[in-house]
Amino acid sequence: MDSIRVAKVMGVSCNKPGSTTTGTLHLTAHHLIYKADGAPEEEMWVPYPLISLVTRMPQTLQGFTPVAFRCRTFETFTLSFAQEQEASDVFESVRELTVATSVTQLYAYNYEPNPPLPTRTGWSLYSPREEFARMGVGSRTKAWRFTDINKDYSFCPTYPARLVVPTKISDTTLAYACKHRSRSRIPALSYLHWANFGTITRSSQPMVGLTNNRSVQDEKLVEAIFQSHHSPHSPFVETKVYGATATNLITDARPTTNAMATFAKGAGTENMDHYKDARKVYLGVDNIHVMRDSLAKVIEALREADIAAAALLNIDGSRPLPLDDIFLDRQALRRSGWLRYISALLDGTLLVVRNIHVNSSHVLIHCSDGWDRTTQLSSLAQLCLDPFYRTMRGFQILIEKDWLSFGHRFLDRCGHLSSEKFFLTAGANDNTGGAEAAQAFLASVQNKFTPQHHLKETSPVFHQFLECVRQIQRQFPTRFEFNQRFLERLHYHLYSCQFGTFLHNNEQERRVDDGGKPPCECTVSAWDWFNSPEEMEKNKNPEYDTSLDNPTSRSPDADMGVLFPNPKDVRFWHELYGRSDEEMNGRIVIAQTAGVETIESADDDPIAPPAEIPSEPQSSPSTPPSAATSDRIPQTNGLGTTLGSTSSPTLPTRSERLPITRGDSFKPFGTVNSTYSLQPPSSESPQSEAGPSSLPHQSRPGPALPKLPDAFTGGGLRSMWGKLSSNASAALSGVRDAYEGVTRDLVVSPGSPSANSDLSTRGGELQATDSTNKPWADRVDNLSSHAIVALNDDNPWASLKQNPSSSVPRTQPLDHLDGRSSSPITSLPHDPTVAQPTPLSYSSSPFAISRPYLSTPSRGSDTFHASTPSALPLPLSRSPSLVSVPGVESPPSQPLNGQQSDPLGVGWL
């Protein structure tokens, strides 16, 4: 009680989103209590561990000193005090009461229910022998046994005292196998499927390291697990499970890069050359730090929405706008990636469920240490496989078995001890004395140098599991005995520290005393409170139908009680965040076609990442090149030639784009043109909206295709088809642009009859089509009769490889290149240090190297190559038209033998 500087403050203004009241504030040893004056609403009780951030704000113009509170349940409120000293006392008192140095200081060690709860059997709710016997261990199969190797928690401190391992494996083998697993967390049984002998086992990562270590004992243990369905000790030895051997999975929940990075630390992943009858998959679920940052972005988006809403409050607390106005930025929610991570977990869950129930196989799950992502995937898969775990009692046993006994670190992940870093002062007051300012400065410096390693271990792992359960519950509303309120209250008591269930990191810390009574004897279990009649009535799902889980049902929609969740159908749990569904997930309209869900805009798609593909500004074909390109950099096709020249034949340009809608993204053809879809341009398209300038374009009519059924044209699917069509259309547009650029450079048709004559009449040569945009563009006026000079008009100082057979020395400049000829090809001064280009020759040698992009396809056997003594050059006349000169038209292509070899006149690619 020494930490409480002030126990009661009257005349406190409490500002919540949407309301402002005045009342009395009480500070107790474990709660902050606010009671509004003359208001019928209930008192607000806030346990101190539930507070995640407290900010002391500067004094307002009205003379009030506000203190802002943010809770782990995503609730925010601000208390405004008339006197600054009261605000300071409350701030310091809450900080000292919230920041604990030991878990025994938390509320659970002082909580005593009043009136007493009807039952106190929560700590004995889960019995390993009873639960695994329910699965069939010892009755349906003899392939598994209990071991007491960890009865005193010396074998593995983070594992339960009772483990289930294959009967073939002795405790001695386990003692050697534990050395090959991180923290001695060996593969142990977590679930035995009721429909077959498929199993879920869990472990930590193997200690492979850079030296590629292996353990024969660990390999034999995994092999025995994967062969447990046809063990000779089983009475069902004659039962054959087809496909089980071929589809046994070692599931690494980590991304591949993360798994490979741990090799440097002496860990790693399994070498599948040593593990028989199994395959390995990576699920790509990110680590705890990524999840923590993702949820922080969601919380920041909610906070900004609250600030925007508070800015519209009147002085009396009323709002000039209705309460249903939306201030939440859904783009910020999408950028957080929170739903994508939930979708990844559900995708991994679906893989495990199918492999066990459909393929009758085994799955070994692990991540790094096997207590975060492994626990999520294992418990979610069991929730879908076994209808028992979808009851209230079964769900509690599932949490006790896979989360509490197998060592999920609740104390570290939830951050129950808090930190002084979560208590901030927004700004200093001008009236603050020098002593108080110095004290505040020293406190801030001390916080910076205080070890905060435990803060890096916090992560919303169990919260994320509850959200995944909510997604499955929303997809199958009649398959759960409990409702979403049950999950909400479970999330609340995860952080309230009112019960001892979620306070410690493993079973040993809960069951073994540390100089006194063990926590399981001096704290109340959360299940005692949840199993009280009043709470069970509130948490019961009225739509629950047990007949749907009948495995012997033969109805058309029967699934034997096994759920297959849709990983793409995920939405924000808006009730948990205290928001409306429309505010967090957008407005969803049910289309006329049954089962098709339409989203009105791309912003309303909660799972698809934002992608913006701006359309390229186009110019009219009738516009002169100078007018079309005067305000932008010339576009090149990667070969040094400028695109869009008027001297080359052009194809019809793309029409302007219209805004895209989600409904149009799935339609392959239609009347609306879009950069994001596969629709052909329409001649009635208005001007573009994405480019900086909107010039008229020549449209190209699309092909006439049959109209698709209404199921495809009535509205777009949610996100997958929209992203698929947008990616395909973007790639198609890029290929078409490249094709247009190349065809503009092929000035003359390759079907010229003078294939063996001057190069000035040959077709298909690469032309520099817009030399005016490049001041160093070379103009060839005089060439050797046995050479073709390849010039690079992008780089005036580029040196070209010398022909060994050339009679011109490499250091000797050519007359037509150094500016001494009568027709200089460049205005730049000659650089004697740069090697000059040497001529190459044509030859009809059968060993010559073909260069179709520098020669014409109609040359017959003529090919382009570096001249050699055996290659006889063809007699070529001097041709000044290898590189096009502005104002000079290239000769048109002539028909070959009365036929047009290239009807489009675009050259050969």
Side-chain angles (χ1 to χ4, degrees), residues 190 200 202 365 373-382 402:
S190 180
I200 296 179
R202 51 181 299 172
I365 307 174
R373 289 165 284 191
T374 301
T375 306
Q376 288 176 325
L377 291 168
S378 174
S379 54
L380 287 173
Q382 296 176 54
D402 269 79

Side-chain angles (χ1 to χ4, degrees), residues 843-864:
S843 174
S844 57
S845 172
F847 302 98
I849 302 173
S850 175
R851 296 290 180 88
Y853 54 86
L854 291 178
S855 61
T856 58
S858 59
R859 282 181 188 149
S861 61
D862 291 349
T863 54
F864 177 67

Side-chain angles (χ1 to χ4, degrees), residues 779-811:
R779 300 176 177 86
V780 179
D781 295 331
N782 187 14
L783 292 176
S784 172
S785 59
H786 301 286
I788 296 178
V789 180
L791 298 179
N792 187 350
D793 51 7
D794 274 335
N795 187 359
W797 311 112
S799 60
L800 300 181
K801 190 174 181 179
Q802 183 183 12
N803 186 356
S805 63
S806 174
S807 60
V808 183
R810 185 174 184 82
T811 57

